[in-house]
């Protein structure tokens, strides 16, 4: 469905020799990883393997111990980098949606546009309404988050991230906190986003999504990338025992 971009295109996300240590616990080591514009990468791996930490290093929510990360030509790991500029390129969606409870859905999607990007209220509103339409929630613009289902709240969180016009979207288990019947509507929005050409790095246990949407699957264990490749290779015919064991559990 998606086309793999030509191999000579410069990566939009590049990680070289990433290492992250918490205290005396090495959480990530020898991570080398590049994502090309428009590519969709699904990251799989057991709990504690370092998936969230890797995403958090990419958008500088964590400082790295060593190694380099470059996003859209901006070095994340250079202390001189203005992290606000970096984060304008990156949208992130977490397991927990963290919407502002006392703001309406529309206000949730408008707020950062006005504060961070300095957009006018009218511009922010126009963009927010367009995105709420895209995630199928125009009718909920004036509702408060608490009145929405978890799936609807996560779709608002996706719209809110997209409102910043990111170059890359990072998803950290976006459906893990949802009741099973609400997972599909969120995956459908993500699939549509993938089809629109967005560059995406998605941590998920949804193997069906990986199979359908990913250009590449990366399997992590023990803070390292153990195996990566096209989804049909890695999912149907994993080379590493650890990948096989993991897949046997989640499939
Ligand atoms: P995953 O997302 O794959 O479940 P994480 O990246 O959340 O894994 O965690 C990887 C390891 O790093 C775990 O052992 C976790 O306990 C540890 N870890 C994560 N964040 C911190 C932190 N802020 N301080 C100390 N240890 C952490
Ligand atoms: Mg995690």
């Amino acid at each position: 469905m998606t086309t793999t971009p030509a191999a000579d295109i410069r990566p939009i996300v590049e990680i070289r020799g990433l290492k992250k240590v918490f205290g005396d616990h090495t959480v990530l080591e020898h991570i080398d990883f590049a994502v090309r514009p428009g590519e969709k990468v699904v990251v799989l791996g057991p709990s504690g393997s370092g998936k969230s930490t890797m995403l958090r290093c990419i958008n500088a929510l964590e400082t790295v111990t060593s190694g380099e990360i470059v996003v859209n030509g901006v070095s994340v790991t250079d202390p001189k980098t203005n992290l606000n500029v970096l984060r304008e390129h990156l949208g992130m969606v977490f397991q927990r949606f963290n919407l502002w409870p006392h703001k309406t859905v529309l206000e949730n999607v408008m707020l950062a546009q006005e504060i961070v990007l300095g957009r006018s209220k009218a511009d922010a509103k126009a963009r927010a309404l367009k995105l709420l339409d895209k995630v199928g929630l125009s009718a909920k613009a004036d509702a408060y988050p608490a009145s929405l289902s978890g799936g609807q709240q996560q779709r608002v969180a996706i719209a809110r991230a997209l409102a910043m016009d990111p170059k890359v979207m990072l998803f950290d288990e976006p459906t893990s906190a949802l009741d099973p019947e609400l997972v599909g509507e969120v995956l459908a929005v993500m699939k549509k986003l993938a089809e629109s050409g967005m560059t995406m790095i998605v941590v998920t246990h949804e193997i069906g999504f990986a199979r359908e949407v990913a250009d590449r699957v990366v399997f992590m264990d023990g803070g390292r990338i153990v195996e990566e490749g096209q989804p049909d290779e890695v999912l149907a015919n994993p080379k590493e025992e650890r990948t096989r064991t993991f897949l046997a559990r989640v499939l």
Side-chain angles (χ1 to χ4, degrees):
M1 171 159 296
T2 46
T3 51
T4 306
D8 57 349
I9 297 175
R10 202 162 139 251
I12 190 159
V13 176
E14 201 166 7
I15 302 178
R16 284 189 293 264
L18 170 62
K19 178 173 179 167
K20 175 64 182 175
V21 175
F22 285 115
D24 55 6
H25 183 186
T26 300
V27 172
L28 294 173
E29 201 169 23
H30 303 303
I31 302 283
D32 290 289
F33 180 68
V35 180
R36 297 177 193 289
E39 203 176 10
K40 293 94 184 76
V41 177
V42 165
V43 181
L44 301 173
S47 179
S49 57
K51 307 179 300 295
S52 294
T53 305
M54 183 175 81
L55 289 190
R56 292 169 58 80
C57 286
I58 293 173
N59 71 357
L61 291 173
E62 300 284 359
T63 56
V64 311
T65 304
S66 57
E68 198 185 11
I69 303 176
V70 179
V71 175
N72 200 34
V74 177
S75 173
V76 179
T77 39
D78 181 345
K80 292 193 290 288
T81 294
N82 178 344
L83 294 181
N84 292 328
V85 172
L86 164 85
R87 293 203 184 99
E88 282 176 21
H89 302 316
L90 290 164
M92 181 134 178
V93 176
F94 301 88
Q95 188 172 332
R96 305 239 157 254
F97 341 114
N98 302 319
L99 300 176
W100 301 100
H102 305 299
K103 303 277 180 195
T104 66
V105 162
L106 181 64
E107 287 163 347
N108 264 278
V109 182
M110 287 173 63
L111 216 58
Q113 296 186 63
E114 295 172 73
I115 295 169
V116 180
L117 301 182
R119 282 187 188 149
S120 71
K121 212 168 219 21
D123 286 351
K125 186 175 176 181
R127 180 88 180 112
L129 288 172
K130 206 166 155 190
L131 286 165
L132 287 174
D133 181 48
K134 214 166 155 179
V135 302
L137 288 173
S138 299
K140 298 288 184 186
D142 297 323
Y144 284 87
S147 71
L148 268 53
S149 73
Q152 290 171 330
Q153 289 185 52
Q154 191 60 301
R155 284 147 64 199
V156 174
I158 293 171
R160 181 180 58 178
L162 290 174
M164 308 302 284
D165 298 324
K167 298 271 196 317
V168 179
M169 284 285 286
L170 310 175
F171 292 86
D172 193 0
E173 300 201 33
T175 60
S176 294
L178 299 177
D179 292 334
E181 73 272 22
L182 303 178
V183 168
E185 65 191 60
V186 173
L187 293 180
V189 164
M190 291 168 62
K191 202 173 145 191
K192 220 164 81 182
L193 184 61
E195 283 163 3
S196 79
M198 177 63 75
T199 308
M200 295 162 69
I201 304 178
V202 183
V203 174
T204 184
H205 296 310
E206 295 291 335
I207 302 297
F209 179 84
R211 193 177 284 127
E212 248 187 287
V213 176
D215 297 305
R216 190 149 48 102
V217 170
V218 171
F219 177 73
M220 291 178 68
D221 194 22
R224 293 170 182 242
I225 293 176
V226 171
E227 181 164 5
E228 65 178 297
Q230 296 194 348
D232 47 355
E233 291 166 16
V234 176
L235 298 174
N237 201 6
K239 290 187 184 63
E240 299 293 329
E241 185 56 39
R242 283 185 285 181
T243 316
R244 277 198 287 274
T245 309
F246 174 78
L247 289 173
R249 278 211 312 275
V250 298
L251 280 173

